[in-house]
Amino acid sequence: EKHGLQLQVKPVLTLANRYAGLPVFQPKVPYPGVWWTVREQKWHAFCRVGGACRNFRVKPKDHSEAELERSFKVAVAWKKKQDKEKKRKAVKPKAKPRKK
């Protein structure tokens, strides 16, 4: 390095190769609203309840098949619980009387 200039070009991470070495998983039986996030290496569950967005993430302890299945089931259980709450909150409000 002379005068603060680099003699070698350093590789720059791009979106294409940033997560290339990380494993990608697909559930045996997919469940809507639950997916694998490559960047975080976690199962991500998402639900809207009463106009609010709710997120839940589960990280497996290791990448064994049994642990991935267990953590996926935890995310699905959370999603099902949120769906039940969503149905409970989906009661239609009473119509307000019109002003004349």
Side-chain angles (χ1 to χ4, degrees):
E1 292 185 22
K2 189 175 182 182
H3 305 292
L5 300 175
Q6 295 179 355
L7 296 178
Q8 296 179 349
V9 177
K10 295 180 182 178
V12 178
L13 290 178
T14 63
L15 290 177
N17 67 6
R18 182 176 296 174
Y19 308 118
L22 299 176
V24 178
F25 299 104
Q26 298 294 329
K28 292 178 183 176
V29 180
Y31 192 83
V34 180
W35 63 89
W36 178 257
T37 306
V38 177
R39 182 182 66 181
E40 297 175 353
Q41 293 291 291
K42 297 177 184 180
W43 291 108
H44 185 172
F46 175 81
C47 186
R48 289 186 194 271
V49 178
C53 298
R54 296 183 181 180
N55 292 285
F56 181 75
R57 290 173 177 83
V58 181
K59 185 171 185 169
K61 294 176 185 173
D62 53 39
H63 287 35
S64 66
E65 190 171 331
E67 180 60 24
L68 287 167
E69 188 69 26
R70 183 203 65 79
S71 57
F72 178 73
K73 287 180 181 179
V74 169
V76 169
W78 180 87
K79 174 77 168 123
K80 287 181 179 180
K81 182 179 176 184
Q82 300 306 308
D83 287 342
K84 283 183 183 178
E85 187 175 337
K86 185 178 184 177
K87 287 179 183 177
R88 201 170 58 228
K89 286 190 172 186
V91 177
K92 294 182 180 178
K94 294 180 183 178
K96 295 180 182 178
R98 289 180 154 194
K99 293 182 180 179
K100 292 185 181 181

